[in-house]
Amino acid sequence: MNINIPWEWYRTFLAVMKEGSLSGAARMLSITQPTAGRHVAALESALGLVLFTRSQTGLQATDAAVAILGHAQAMENTASMIERSAASFSAHSAGLHGVVRVSASEIIGTEVLPPLIAQIKEDYPQLTIELVLSNRIQDLLNREADIAVRMSTPVQEQLIARRLGSIEIGLHASPSYLARHAAPESIDELFTHTLVGFDKTTPFILQALKHFPQLNRERFTVRTDSDVAQLNLIRAGAGIGMCQVQLAGFPVPLERLMPDFFAFHLDTWLVMHEDLRHSKACKTVFDILAAGLQAYINNVGHEDGYFYGSR
């Protein structure tokens, strides 16, 4: 028998005993159902016991599971006492320490996260925050980042994922551009205007083109693969382009055009490797970013054209 059994496996065992299913245990522990299944299978293999049998109502505990339940609960109580002791010590310490690496797209990283990071540094000055700006999906499993803002549903296992809402993308133009060119009222009129857009095709662009095939690369006469550059070209009056609706009000007020023709929604998630759930630094940063991003998505927290996050 393997005596070096991880506490995680016992914790998952206890969650299954309480919830009666792998899915319930996964929700309780904020892990994926396959991960919960692996934990139970690994514990059964290590102990040489069958702990659960499947039934129409879920998982049925065996006599072996009932026999070890009390011992596992004692382990849980001990773990809770250790966590409370550590939390008490932490409360009297100087504050959170460590490095937390956050990955986000260019737009989110430059337009939305800075005030949230400023809030984090004000509250936890001894934390080090590393901000990675990339439209490429960072690999959390290989620890390219600790926390990531993603505009697609996470598919990797072993991730804690929180859906924050949906960000709407629309066509916008600045007052200076519209003072020189009448706002288009039809698709044909739109294509007579200067359009600001992408140069190289990305996964996001491919997804958008499925819904709006008319907006192909050749339609854009001002092209750049930098989302930040596109946004600032629109603000400067260079042409009409795509912009997150929440960003259209500041610092340059932009006018939304033809919403009935073009409206694209991006599911927005905050994700973290499940192994970091016990890192107080990562969990604190995760919670602050989640609250601030939800406020941004819900279009609240703007004061004098500046986004202040969750305060």
Side-chain angles (χ1 to χ4, degrees):
M1 180 184 296
N2 181 0
I3 61 173
N4 296 316
I5 299 175
W7 159 238
E8 266 191 335
W9 298 357
Y10 284 112
R11 183 178 58 200
T12 303
F13 161 74
L14 287 170
V16 175
M17 291 290 286
K18 292 174 184 176
E19 297 296 322
S21 67
L22 291 174
S23 59
R27 286 192 298 270
M28 178 180 175
L29 299 176
S30 297
I31 61 177
T32 64
Q33 183 171 334
T35 298
R38 284 196 301 272
H39 287 177
V40 170
L43 181 61
E44 289 179 325
S45 176
L47 295 175
L49 299 172
V50 176
L51 299 176
F52 299 99
T53 58
R54 294 192 177 276
S55 68
Q56 292 181 345
T57 58
L59 293 181
Q60 186 69 37
T62 64
D63 291 342
V66 174
I68 69 170
L69 177 60
H71 301 295
Q73 288 173 331
M75 294 172 65
E76 183 180 46
N77 293 336
T78 300
S80 296
M81 286 189 290
I82 293 172
E83 289 176 3
R84 287 195 296 272
S85 178
S88 176
F89 177 83
S90 177
H92 292 88
S93 66
L96 293 181
H97 297 75
V99 179
V100 180
R101 189 172 178 86
V102 179
S103 171
S105 68
E106 282 188 323
I107 289 293
I108 294 295
T110 58
E111 297 285 332
V112 183
L113 294 190
L116 299 178
I117 292 173
Q119 173 189 334
I120 293 168
K121 287 297 295 178
E122 182 68 22
D123 293 343
Y124 305 100
Q126 297 184 69
L127 273 182
T128 297
I129 305 296
E130 296 178 347
L131 180 60
V132 182
L133 299 186
S134 173
N135 290 331
R136 183 178 68 87
I137 295 178
Q138 299 291 308
D139 190 346
L140 298 185
L141 299 184
N142 291 329
R143 299 298 172 85
E144 293 181 9
D146 299 313
I147 299 171
V149 184
R150 289 188 175 172
M151 301 304 182
S152 59
T153 304
V155 295
Q156 294 170 305
E157 296 179 3
Q158 299 178 311
L159 295 180
I160 295 172
R162 184 181 302 176
R163 185 181 182 277
L164 304 176
S166 179
I167 292 178
E168 186 174 3
I169 309 292
L171 293 175
H172 292 80
S174 70
S176 64
Y177 179 85
L178 294 175
R180 304 191 309 271
H181 308 276
E185 296 183 357
S186 68
I187 297 176
D188 289 339
E189 287 186 16
L190 175 66
F191 292 149
T192 66
H193 283 261
T194 299
L195 300 183
V196 178
F198 64 91
D199 185 17
K200 296 178 183 177
T201 302
T202 65
F204 163 71
I205 297 300
L206 288 174
Q207 187 179 2
L209 286 174
K210 292 179 181 178
H211 300 277
F212 307 99
Q214 306 98 322
L215 293 175
N216 58 68
R217 178 182 182 275
E218 302 310 314
R219 297 288 188 183
F220 302 109
T221 55
V222 178
R223 302 171 188 154
T224 174
D225 288 323
S226 167
D227 293 338
V228 172
Q230 286 184 34
L231 178 58
N232 283 288
L233 285 164
I234 298 167
R235 287 171 171 168
I240 298 171
M242 291 175 277
C243 167
Q244 294 184 15
V245 172
Q246 288 88 341
L247 295 177
F250 69 101
V252 176
L254 302 176
E255 183 175 332
R256 181 143 187 208
L257 305 173
M258 303 177 63
D260 293 336
F261 164 63
F262 186 91
F264 191 76
H265 294 82
L266 292 173
D267 248 8
T268 305
W269 297 75
L270 194 65
V271 294
M272 177 174 71
H273 195 288
E274 66 178 17
D275 288 350
L276 297 176
R277 80 158 58 81
H278 297 303
S279 165
K280 191 172 181 181
C282 287
K283 187 177 185 304
T284 298
V285 172
F286 186 96
D287 289 342
I288 292 174
L289 293 182
L293 285 164
Q294 283 182 319
Y296 166 74
I297 290 169
N298 294 330
N299 207 24
V300 298
H302 293 278
E303 299 178 18
D304 299 325
Y306 191 74
F307 175 68
Y308 282 91
S310 58
R311 289 183 176 230

